[in-house]
Amino acid sequence: ENSHIKCLVISVATFGVEGAKHLGEMLRKNSSLTRLTLLSMGLGDEGAKCIIAGAKVSKVLEGLELKGVAITE
């Protein structure tokens, strides 16, 4: 477990819904990440909802940036 990462940028990757669920769960348990940026991920609506749900309950995440993640809502 790495508890030292403060900022993470992930670009041009396809997680799919399953990967987004894992990332959302990680955000729920997150104790150090303060900023997450996802660029050109192709998450879709369901994947984005999973990540946003995890971000909402994170006690330390201060910023979430989603660009080019292919969501419609």
Side-chain angles (χ1 to χ4, degrees):
E1 178 179 319
N2 187 338
S3 60
H4 302 289
I5 296 174
K6 299 288 183 196
C7 179
L8 180 62
V9 177
I10 303 174
S11 178
V12 192
T14 303
F15 281 172
V17 174
E18 194 62 31
K21 286 179 183 178
H22 289 292
L23 185 55
E25 186 59 32
M26 181 278 301
L27 290 173
R28 290 179 187 276
K29 299 174 183 177
N30 171 41
S31 63
S32 65
L33 190 67
T34 59
R35 182 147 202 81
L36 175 62
T37 302
L38 303 176
L39 307 169
S40 301
M41 297 293 293
L43 295 173
D45 293 338
E46 188 177 350
K49 286 178 184 177
C50 293
I51 292 171
I52 291 167
K56 282 183 177 180
V57 299
S58 172
K59 296 188 185 326
V60 295
L61 190 68
E62 297 171 358
L64 173 63
E65 184 175 8
L66 304 174
K67 288 188 178 180
V69 293
I71 55 176
T72 60
E73 295 181 22

